[in-house]
Amino acid sequence: MAHLQLTALAGGADDEMEEVALLGSYDEEAGVGTEGEDQAEAGMRRVQVRVTGMTCSACTGAVEAALSARRGVRRAAVSLLQNRAHVVFDPALAKDDDIVEAIEDAGFEAEILPDSTVSQPKSQKTLSGQFRIGGMTCAACVNSVEGILKKLPGVKRAVVALATSLGEVEYDPSAISKDEIVQAIEDAGFDAALLRSSEQDKVLLSVTGLHFEGDVDVLHDILKKMEGLRQFGVNFANSEVDIVFDPEVVGLRQIVDTIEMESNNRLKAHVQNPYIRAASNDAQEASKMLHLLRFSLFLSIPVYFIRMVCPRIPLISSFLLMHFGPFRIGDLLKWILVTMVQFVVGKRFYVAAYRALRHGSTNMDVLVVIGTTASYVYSVCALLYGAFTGFHPPIYFETSAMIITFVLFGKYLEVLAKGKTSDAIKKLVELAPATALLLLKDKEGKYSGEKEIDASLVQPGDALKVLPGSKVPADGIVIWGTSHVNESMVTGESVPISKEVSSLVIGGTMNLHGILHIQATKVGSGTVLSQIISLVETAQMSKAPIQKFADYVASIFVPIVITLSFLTFLAWFLCGWLGAYPNSWSAESSNCFVFSLMFSISVVVIACPCALGLATPTAVMVATGVGASHGVLVKGGDALERAQNVKYVIFDKTGTLTQGKATVTTAKIFSGMDLGDFLTLVASAEASSEHPLAKAILDYAFHFHFFGKLPSAKDNINRRKEEILSQWLLEVADFSALPGKGIQCWINGKKILVGNRALITENGVNIPEEAECFLVDMELNAKTGILVAYDGDFIGLIGITDPLKREAAVVIQGLKKMGVHPVMVTGDNWRTARAVAKEVGIDDVRAEVMPAGKADVIRSLQKDGSVVAMVGDGINDSPALVAADVGMAIGAGTDIAIEAADYVLVRNNLEDVITAIDLSRKTFSRIRWNYFFAMAYNVIAIPVAAGALFPFTGLQMPPWLAGACMAFSSVSVVCSSLLLRRYRKPRLTTVLQITVE
């Protein structure tokens, strides 16, 4: 998931789409460390050792100490849950037997695992895997899973999200496999399955036609004969085959076609979409929860009627009071029904609570089990006591049954509500078309027909036909036809974009009118759509700093509640035993023990740690999805949290406040040189530069000589340069770019300088007074002057203007209204900078700032604790984007700029700066409300359940009602977060308080 590429739109019809990296290494520090370790451990041997006899963390410490003390051992990591040690050692100084001996000397049994004796791969790349984790109910579960994953050998990073039930793990495949990660999660008491991995040569195919064992044998034979397949495994039960293949040898489409042809069309393979698979898992979880809820209701409703309704119907009441042996029929029926609810329906709570307690953690399941078991055990004891003594104390079987029913109902609603939070990703996934029309070629390379194929089987280089009204199946370039394409679903740009030959198209966008033939350039995870989805998912996986508070509370919540429950029971029981309250209070419950027990159970059942755990992740998930739909991609919850407090927004000038479409307006000679020769000389020098101003000069010179326009499509770049060089450009030697100043090189054995004042004067070239006056006049009119010196003499200058973006001035005004101070920082000269700033309404200007100096400006503003945002698009903005608290990269910017940023503004529209800040403020306002509701619920509900109001009002909350309250508390928090789906971008007229009549 690292080093992703996003192709975004620049504004304007002629503009190209540029490749930009959305995500760099997720954890740079870990990456650096890993690289250092890889170099240090080159030539080392790695083994996996099974260690038996370990029972606690002290045991793992003893094994690690014993291994580390052994000569030649470079590194040792021991996992208690896996009963395994990962050892890296120098084979010249130690042998496998020495490792086994060291562990046995420490008092444990050891065995080298056969799998680890396979030669290690030379590449030590880090993989990123996304795992579905089932069974998590609160933040304590998340902490438990994260803690276990981070202790595994080879795991570099682990992030678990409660709202999505997903975990993202970065790991070294040479140290640990994805199966071992799944096993570790399952050993911790949770369900786990790998959804997808960053490996590009692994695929899961669903195969139709696998009805008998013979079909499996046929499939085995087909795959064994196929070249390029490294390994495969067939799952007959699920009709799936897991294949690892070499994409350089065999393509995915070839694999699918071969299976179909070699089986005489009996077997058909389809690529499984991990998102559809995940949605299927969500649906299965909701269906399973609904089934349990129905079964629980079917058993609990009769119990409720026997307790509350039947005693009021004489005939039924007399029947229920009849005896069957020593037991009343009514009590016996309740016992049978509730036992099924408690131990059949409620089994999931017991299993989850046992797993949590086994690993020293606590969660909501522990509270449910304690509350319902206490009620059930008391009721059974009371029933048996009444059967054998004739004195029948009240029994509360309905309490445990109704608690479990209400909790299941709440969990079912929670599953449905949490599913709504990921609607944004579902909508993005649905944009991708299911099929594509592949244009077939004959032996001569001519198009001979077309074939409908699965869109996931499109390969780079394929020629595809896109009909009017259908979706573009992959990122590519138009090779035939003209049309208009609606790209609003991906970029947020509402105006249809004209497409012709050499135009770039984005997969998932809608072709409106004409037929297009496109050549696929990026498919699968490389497309814009896939990477937007990946970016949104990564953001949803990340934790906002504010969530640390919830994690801490969750870790101590359950023990505190159990303590409060015990104290509640003790206080009421002692007060009753000492006669501190009248006997009439406990008369209905028969005695003060039962009276106190009901208060105690209510305290355990009403407390809810889930609401706290869901407060932040659900809101962040909805917000990142909403942001993506508005063209604002957020890289994580921490960026979202910082943006709400932004005090300063720093804008780069070129390409950010301006359109980035520089054009030459003036070319003036101050020597005897001909204008054509002057332009040829300058264009030759600038041809090797990537700066936007260089391109403007090159275009102007080309148009001057040939009255045409330079080709702009990426595939034509090399051809364009060759034509230019061969036709009219001069040969350049020793070219060098001088950041913040210009360029210098040698032409015809003479040095040429093209750049600003500083470059010219530093090289001892005098600027004539006439040229200086002309230059000052240009700068006062917001134009940039490019000075040219050749062979030590000043020969002329070029005036360049870059029009402001039409929304720049109103966005600056809007930010001021929001209490944010705009600042412009540019490498341009002071006169041009002040003229541009005055035009857009920025008062604070920093000009003639070198790229590294932009970061210094940011640090100076941060000194008083202010949160600073930086908006930029170029390579020279990257240090500033990193230094800023919130980096915002314009979507049409360079890959380095977008890799360094926290926000990506896909539409290249400055209005999205306001959207980003406003969305952050709205999101964290909602999170604070969520925390308020969650905390207020527990602060108010627990004392009420403990009977704090009973002495004054006679109000006693029965345990079943407490269970209902607990069930709905987490649902209310999720629904609160879902209100963010109604978010609308702020209108500038509203921000500026303008009334439009």
mmCIF file of all heavy atoms in Angstrom, residues 516-531:
data_model
loop_
_atom_site.group_PDB
_atom_site.id
_atom_site.type_symbol
_atom_site.label_atom_id
_atom_site.label_comp_id
_atom_site.label_asym_id
_atom_site.label_seq_id
_atom_site.Cartn_x
_atom_site.Cartn_y
_atom_site.Cartn_z
ATOM 1 N N LEU A 516 -14.872 5.578 -27.686
ATOM 2 C CA LEU A 516 -13.437 5.761 -27.478
ATOM 3 C C LEU A 516 -12.737 4.419 -27.533
ATOM 4 O O LEU A 516 -13.254 3.408 -27.050
ATOM 5 C CB LEU A 516 -13.157 6.410 -26.114
ATOM 6 C CG LEU A 516 -13.606 7.858 -25.889
ATOM 7 C CD1 LEU A 516 -13.322 8.266 -24.455
ATOM 8 C CD2 LEU A 516 -12.914 8.809 -26.855
ATOM 9 N N HIS A 517 -11.555 4.421 -28.135
ATOM 10 C CA HIS A 517 -10.635 3.291 -28.009
ATOM 11 C C HIS A 517 -9.489 3.775 -27.122
ATOM 12 O O HIS A 517 -8.879 4.815 -27.405
ATOM 13 C CB HIS A 517 -10.089 2.858 -29.373
ATOM 14 C CG HIS A 517 -11.110 2.179 -30.232
ATOM 15 N ND1 HIS A 517 -10.820 1.637 -31.465
ATOM 16 C CD2 HIS A 517 -12.433 1.935 -30.033
ATOM 17 C CE1 HIS A 517 -11.899 1.106 -31.989
ATOM 18 N NE2 HIS A 517 -12.901 1.283 -31.143
ATOM 19 N N ILE A 518 -9.225 3.042 -26.047
ATOM 20 C CA ILE A 518 -8.154 3.460 -25.142
ATOM 21 C C ILE A 518 -7.140 2.338 -24.988
ATOM 22 O O ILE A 518 -7.457 1.159 -25.172
ATOM 23 C CB ILE A 518 -8.703 3.857 -23.751
ATOM 24 C CG1 ILE A 518 -9.240 2.626 -23.005
ATOM 25 C CG2 ILE A 518 -9.759 4.934 -23.854
ATOM 26 C CD1 ILE A 518 -9.509 2.876 -21.541
ATOM 27 N N GLN A 519 -5.929 2.722 -24.671
ATOM 28 C CA GLN A 519 -4.889 1.749 -24.338
ATOM 29 C C GLN A 519 -4.673 1.797 -22.837
ATOM 30 O O GLN A 519 -4.372 2.856 -22.277
ATOM 31 C CB GLN A 519 -3.591 2.073 -25.068
ATOM 32 C CG GLN A 519 -2.496 1.025 -24.826
ATOM 33 C CD GLN A 519 -1.252 1.316 -25.646
ATOM 34 O OE1 GLN A 519 -1.004 2.451 -26.010
ATOM 35 N NE2 GLN A 519 -0.476 0.289 -25.940
ATOM 36 N N ALA A 520 -4.859 0.662 -22.176
ATOM 37 C CA ALA A 520 -4.731 0.612 -20.711
ATOM 38 C C ALA A 520 -3.278 0.846 -20.309
ATOM 39 O O ALA A 520 -2.364 0.222 -20.854
ATOM 40 C CB ALA A 520 -5.209 -0.736 -20.180
ATOM 41 N N THR A 521 -3.075 1.753 -19.376
ATOM 42 C CA THR A 521 -1.726 2.020 -18.863
ATOM 43 C C THR A 521 -1.570 1.549 -17.424
ATOM 44 O O THR A 521 -0.508 1.113 -17.018
ATOM 45 C CB THR A 521 -1.405 3.530 -18.939
ATOM 46 O OG1 THR A 521 -2.433 4.268 -18.257
ATOM 47 C CG2 THR A 521 -1.336 3.998 -20.381
ATOM 48 N N LYS A 522 -2.654 1.647 -16.644
ATOM 49 C CA LYS A 522 -2.605 1.198 -15.247
ATOM 50 C C LYS A 522 -3.860 0.399 -14.951
ATOM 51 O O LYS A 522 -4.964 0.813 -15.292
ATOM 52 C CB LYS A 522 -2.514 2.397 -14.301
ATOM 53 C CG LYS A 522 -1.180 3.118 -14.387
ATOM 54 C CD LYS A 522 -1.125 4.269 -13.430
ATOM 55 C CE LYS A 522 0.206 4.984 -13.557
ATOM 56 N NZ LYS A 522 0.264 6.186 -12.705
ATOM 57 N N VAL A 523 -3.676 -0.723 -14.312
ATOM 58 C CA VAL A 523 -4.815 -1.597 -14.002
ATOM 59 C C VAL A 523 -4.727 -2.024 -12.543
ATOM 60 O O VAL A 523 -3.708 -1.829 -11.874
ATOM 61 C CB VAL A 523 -4.815 -2.849 -14.917
ATOM 62 C CG1 VAL A 523 -4.928 -2.455 -16.369
ATOM 63 C CG2 VAL A 523 -3.564 -3.688 -14.699
ATOM 64 N N GLY A 524 -5.822 -2.627 -12.066
ATOM 65 C CA GLY A 524 -5.816 -3.172 -10.701
ATOM 66 C C GLY A 524 -5.520 -2.127 -9.654
ATOM 67 O O GLY A 524 -6.098 -1.038 -9.643
ATOM 68 N N SER A 525 -4.569 -2.435 -8.778
ATOM 69 C CA SER A 525 -4.250 -1.531 -7.660
ATOM 70 C C SER A 525 -3.503 -0.290 -8.110
ATOM 71 O O SER A 525 -3.266 0.616 -7.314
ATOM 72 C CB SER A 525 -3.418 -2.280 -6.610
ATOM 73 O OG SER A 525 -2.215 -2.744 -7.189
ATOM 74 N N GLY A 526 -3.099 -0.228 -9.395
ATOM 75 C CA GLY A 526 -2.363 0.938 -9.870
ATOM 76 C C GLY A 526 -3.248 2.066 -10.351
ATOM 77 O O GLY A 526 -2.765 3.155 -10.637
ATOM 78 N N THR A 527 -4.561 1.841 -10.461
ATOM 79 C CA THR A 527 -5.439 2.869 -11.002
ATOM 80 C C THR A 527 -5.715 3.967 -9.980
ATOM 81 O O THR A 527 -5.546 3.773 -8.775
ATOM 82 C CB THR A 527 -6.784 2.263 -11.446
ATOM 83 O OG1 THR A 527 -7.434 1.699 -10.297
ATOM 84 C CG2 THR A 527 -6.581 1.177 -12.485
ATOM 85 N N VAL A 528 -6.144 5.108 -10.491
ATOM 86 C CA VAL A 528 -6.494 6.232 -9.615
ATOM 87 C C VAL A 528 -7.552 5.823 -8.606
ATOM 88 O O VAL A 528 -7.444 6.094 -7.408
ATOM 89 C CB VAL A 528 -7.021 7.419 -10.456
ATOM 90 C CG1 VAL A 528 -7.525 8.524 -9.550
ATOM 91 C CG2 VAL A 528 -5.940 7.949 -11.367
ATOM 92 N N LEU A 529 -8.591 5.140 -9.100
ATOM 93 C CA LEU A 529 -9.708 4.752 -8.242
ATOM 94 C C LEU A 529 -9.233 3.840 -7.114
ATOM 95 O O LEU A 529 -9.600 4.037 -5.943
ATOM 96 C CB LEU A 529 -10.779 4.047 -9.085
ATOM 97 C CG LEU A 529 -12.076 3.673 -8.373
ATOM 98 C CD1 LEU A 529 -12.755 4.917 -7.816
ATOM 99 C CD2 LEU A 529 -13.010 2.942 -9.333
ATOM 100 N N SER A 530 -8.416 2.845 -7.443
ATOM 101 C CA SER A 530 -7.913 1.918 -6.421
ATOM 102 C C SER A 530 -7.112 2.654 -5.374
ATOM 103 O O SER A 530 -7.161 2.330 -4.184
ATOM 104 C CB SER A 530 -7.051 0.833 -7.069
ATOM 105 O OG SER A 530 -7.831 -0.005 -7.872
ATOM 106 N N GLN A 531 -6.355 3.659 -5.809
ATOM 107 C CA GLN A 531 -5.511 4.337 -4.844
ATOM 108 C C GLN A 531 -6.261 5.340 -3.984
ATOM 109 O O GLN A 531 -5.893 5.569 -2.839
ATOM 110 C CB GLN A 531 -4.352 4.978 -5.586
ATOM 111 C CG GLN A 531 -3.465 3.855 -6.031
ATOM 112 C CD GLN A 531 -2.483 4.230 -7.053
ATOM 113 O OE1 GLN A 531 -1.585 4.967 -6.730
ATOM 114 N NE2 GLN A 531 -2.649 3.701 -8.235
#
